[in-house]
């Protein structure tokens, strides 16, 4: 046991247990917190779910007795109930409640979940997997899913150019999100399209379905035919673009992350709309989403004093997104598939000439929760394999 | 035409078109905004999608000429491009950009989307529909979906007590959200459950899957067998509880809407977690979600100086949720189904005695976007019917 996780002594003070570590650090734990998180099986079910009602704990709960055991564990016999809690030094260390310790753990998690921002340089080293490999091997699947997590984008090659395969790829890691476009949808030129995607027009890079709440967090596109001239696929890392925009103008970043914008889709059978910021921030104030789709955006409702500044920010963002320095570009051939994190990476295409041949893709939506869960379980299981080898 | 939507005159000023209304009001429209939202078919496709790139418009765009037409429309011939825009007085009125006009429209939309908060009084008047009726009639379906929108909760009776029907009900308005629990899941006592839902224990009211991002926004539960003693269903309006908590203590409301909390679910095949506030706020600062599940919540990461205050807020919230004054309670009989907005209405059950009989439900998840879209289209189509009658 390292010195920093060795407990020197514990002292009961009113409302708070004070732990003195061997390295001189001192940590405070409210009794209520300790009772609520008691690791005993009568508090936490073996499946990890909490069995007690937090609301039922007396907020003034205190120990009858506190002992530092031979094994350097802290045993608390609670006053007023026949229950004891046993906390390992490691658990207490991992749950220190100083601002610094919490910030340190947060930074560590962020580093582990590290996303790699990218621009056109990624063209030299496209994240890609092989369908046969990821279908057959947990290691290969783990590597491919880790690329998706890290870059918000990855290619999968040699996916048999058969209808429906795009959903089969989803089943490797999660579940299809069905929408009004179906379980999957065909992307090709159609007559009277309800969506410009189903024309041969170029589409500047965008996120899909910002008008939908919840927006699908993953999109997959699989190429079944590719004989038309043009129609290059383009993907752009929205988080990289936002980072550069923020460096250029914190004011623009502020406007785009606080101003509500409405997105809308309507046809004979659907009427879907959502009002949200273009840049999404999580509870820590960190960027967690971009919603950008100039086709479905509605007239801005920004007051006359701020409209010009908002347009300047919007146009600046749109121009970055349309700047080739950020483009990863490739021509999808039959049996190529790519996946994007639809809240991070925008996708688009150049126009194609439908008179020169066919361009036929199938697309589907899915969600990140399944993918990240699968990735986490694969990593855990592979680590166990390594350990036991 | 009413006087308030009649234009008296229009005046070009630098960067801004000024509209003088017959009632004395004055409105300002930046030229960039007007060009971007030109209603011509070369700007907006007939399917409502924008065809031009906003980033491509010259921010200094100005009119060559502006005319108020005989029909009280504003025609702008743009300088530097061969394009004219024609705005009706009604469009300009509906898009006034003063702070007051924007706030007025926002309030009007909120009123139209009005949610009705409720407590135990709703027991006297349970929102409910009949399966045969909502399957056969658009009017009945519209009424039932409107109840779901308004209360975040509704019962549907006489849904044939056959496996899989819960998904068929979803197909009336939207799409099933498949998760690791399947397209649908059985809720009954099982051996070695990975989730306490699959025991006969009571479950205090909670939202489902707060550990999942995106969390499913709707849940449906359908009763196939109900012969066990106990097992009453309980639903609680989270938005009502939050409103009362906020009235009691704005400070508690602040803590619960700004403090990140982690929810987690793990078993052999899944590892899902999410960090979010318990009370969710939208971009306008209005409550748009509650995430409350004491079983999957992880040890709070609140620093030692604020932990006690956070626990006080959490316990206060949990006690309100567990207060019968907020309970709508009913015993589900075979063929009863209920739906909840899973980001608003919590559901739970009392314990039941598995030795006295069976309790067998099937559940599934779905999303609000499909339901609200269907409701909107039904309302539009029914309004047209009324008009043409």
């Amino acid at each position: 046991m390292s010195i920093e996780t060795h407990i020197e002594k514990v002292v009961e003070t009113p409302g708070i247990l004070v732990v003195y570590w061997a390295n001189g650090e001192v940590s405070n734990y409210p009794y209520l917190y300790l009772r609520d998180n008691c690791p005993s099986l009568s508090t936490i079910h073996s499946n990890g779910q909490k069995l007690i009602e937090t609301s039922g704990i007396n907020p003034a709960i205190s120990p009858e007795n506190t002992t530092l055991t031979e094994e350097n564990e802290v045993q608390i016999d609670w006053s007023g109930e026949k229950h004891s809690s046993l906390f390992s030094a490691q658990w207490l260390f991992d749950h220190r409640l100083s601002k610094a310790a919490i910030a340190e753990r947060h930074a560590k998690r962020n580093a582990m979940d590290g996303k790699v921002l990218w621009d056109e340089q990624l063209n030299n080293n496209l994240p890609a997997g092989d369908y046969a490999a990821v279908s057959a091997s947990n290691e290969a699947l783990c590597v491919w899913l880790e690329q998706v997590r890290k870059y918000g984008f990855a290619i999968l090659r040699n996916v048999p150019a058969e209808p429906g395969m795009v959903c089969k790829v989803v089943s490797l890691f999660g579940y299809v999100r069905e929408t009004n476009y179906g379980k999957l949808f065909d992307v090709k030129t159609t007559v009277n399209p309800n969506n410009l995607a189903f024309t041969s027009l170029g589409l500047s890079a965008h996120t899909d379905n910002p008008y939908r709440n919840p927006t699908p967090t993953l999109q997959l596109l699989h190429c079944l035919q590719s004989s038309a001239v043009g129609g290059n696929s383009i993907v752009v890392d929205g988080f990289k673009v936002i980072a550069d925009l923020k460096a250029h103008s914190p004011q623009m970043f502020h406007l785009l992350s606080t101003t509500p914008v409405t997105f809308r889709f309507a046809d004979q059978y659907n009427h879907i709309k959502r009002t949200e910021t273009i840049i999404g921030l999580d509870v820590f104030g960190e960027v967690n989403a971009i919603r950008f789709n100039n086709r479905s955006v509605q007239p801005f409702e920004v007051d006359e004093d701020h409209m010009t500044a908002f347009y300047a920010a919007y146009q600046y963002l749109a121009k970055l997104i349309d700047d080739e320095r950020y483009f990863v570009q490739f021509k999808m051939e039959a049996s190529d598939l790519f996946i994007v994190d639809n809240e991070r990476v925008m996708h688009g295409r150049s126009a194609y000439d439908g008179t020169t041949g066919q361009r036929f893709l199938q697309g589907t939506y899915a969600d990140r929760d399944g993918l990240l869960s699968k990735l986490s379980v694969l990593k855990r299981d592979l680590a166990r394999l390594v350990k036991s080898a």
Side-chain angles (χ1 to χ4, degrees), chain A:
Chain A
M1 184 174 294
S2 79
I3 185 169
E4 67 173 358
T5 58
H6 188 81
I7 298 174
E8 200 70 31
K9 64 171 177 175
V10 291
V11 175
E12 290 177 21
T13 71
I16 304 261
L17 184 76
V18 183
V19 171
Y20 291 82
W21 300 94
N23 68 355
E25 264 197 73
V26 179
S27 298
N28 299 319
Y29 305 87
Y31 297 127
L32 178 53
Y33 171 85
L34 290 174
R35 178 63 191 92
D36 191 28
N37 294 299
C38 169
S40 70
L41 282 174
S42 62
T43 304
I44 311 265
H45 194 277
S46 58
N47 65 20
Q49 293 192 308
K50 194 180 286 188
L51 289 165
I52 62 167
E53 294 294 347
T54 299
S55 59
I57 308 174
N58 177 359
I61 190 170
S62 65
E64 183 75 40
N65 195 39
T66 301
T67 329
L68 188 59
T69 70
E70 292 284 323
E71 290 75 28
N72 204 237
E73 294 167 313
V74 175
Q75 178 175 330
I76 304 179
D77 307 318
W78 297 104
S79 174
E81 62 170 330
K82 284 212 180 311
H83 184 79
S84 296
S85 300
L86 195 65
F87 296 95
S88 68
Q90 187 67 52
W91 191 94
L92 289 166
F93 182 81
D94 290 343
H95 291 80
R96 286 164 301 149
L97 296 172
S98 66
K99 279 198 179 70
I102 290 172
E104 193 184 296
R105 291 199 293 273
H106 180 65
K108 201 168 156 188
R109 278 192 296 266
N110 270 4
M112 275 180 58
D113 291 350
K115 291 174 171 53
V116 176
L117 305 191
W118 47 266
D119 57 19
E120 62 176 346
Q121 300 299 325
L122 193 69
N123 277 303
N124 304 322
N125 192 16
L126 289 179
D130 174 80
Y131 178 68
V134 302
S135 302
S137 141
N138 277 342
E139 288 86 342
L141 181 57
C142 188
V143 168
W144 189 65
L145 296 180
E146 178 66 13
Q147 289 176 334
V148 180
R149 193 195 61 67
K150 200 187 282 184
Y151 301 107
F153 157 68
I155 289 173
L156 192 62
R157 301 199 195 281
N158 305 315
V159 181
E162 295 157 16
M165 283 303 296
V166 70
C167 293
K168 204 160 171 198
V169 170
V170 171
S171 70
L172 291 172
F173 60 78
Y175 309 94
V176 164
R177 169 92 78 89
E178 188 175 356
T179 68
N180 53 292
Y181 299 111
K183 283 195 170 61
L184 54 76
F185 46 88
D186 293 344
V187 183
K188 55 183 172 184
T189 304
T190 60
V191 181
N192 296 327
N194 69 346
N195 194 304
L196 296 182
F198 311 138
T199 67
S200 64
L201 296 171
L203 296 174
S204 55
H206 58 277
T207 62
D208 262 33
N209 289 208
Y211 41 77
R212 189 184 306 285
N213 182 13
T215 294
T217 47
L218 294 173
Q219 175 166 192
L220 293 87
L221 284 164
H222 177 217
C223 183
L224 281 82
Q225 286 182 56
S226 174
S227 56
V229 171
N232 266 6
S233 295
I234 298 160
V235 289
V236 172
D237 184 357
F239 286 6
K240 169 66 174 160
V241 165
I242 290 171
D244 289 356
L245 175 136
K246 189 177 182 182
H248 168 75
S249 168
Q251 176 58 18
M252 284 184 177
F253 176 83
H254 176 75
L255 280 174
L256 293 169
S257 58
T258 57
T259 305
V261 162
T262 298
F263 298 95
R264 179 174 179 272
F265 175 81
D267 66 6
Q268 190 181 349
Y269 305 108
N270 304 281
H271 184 200
I272 318 175
K273 61 179 177 158
R274 182 186 197 189
T275 300
E276 254 300 356
T277 53
I278 288 174
I279 297 174
L281 303 181
D282 68 16
V283 61
F284 301 101
E286 289 153 15
V287 174
N288 71 352
I290 182 166
R291 302 148 192 132
F292 186 81
N293 190 316
N294 199 62
R295 285 174 289 142
S296 57
V297 76
Q298 299 302 297
F300 302 137
E301 288 214 305
V302 176
D303 70 78
E304 49 207 12
D305 296 338
H306 298 91
M307 185 68 93
T308 302
F310 185 76
Y311 260 104
Y314 186 85
Q315 288 194 314
Y316 189 85
L317 175 68
K319 279 182 177 160
L320 287 189
I321 291 169
D322 207 33
D323 184 331
E324 295 201 355
R325 285 178 303 145
Y326 294 105
F327 282 13
V328 163
Q329 267 194 84
F330 48 95
K331 168 111 184 181
M332 288 183 89
E333 303 297 343
S335 86
D336 285 347
L337 173 150
F338 76 83
I339 180 172
V340 286
D341 178 333
N342 186 49
E343 292 190 314
R344 172 180 170 188
V345 172
M346 289 160 289
H347 65 286
R349 66 158 187 248
S350 55
Y352 62 94
D353 181 350
T355 66
T356 57
Q358 299 296 318
R359 183 179 189 272
F360 177 25
L361 310 183
Q362 285 194 320
T364 191
Y365 299 117
D367 281 307
R368 234 165 17 215
D369 62 305
L371 188 149
L372 294 177
S373 171
K374 181 74 181 182
L375 177 60
S376 179
V377 167
L378 284 174
K379 282 182 180 174
R380 180 199 67 192
D381 291 351
L382 291 170
R384 279 184 193 160
L385 268 182
V386 170
K387 259 191 202 163
S388 67

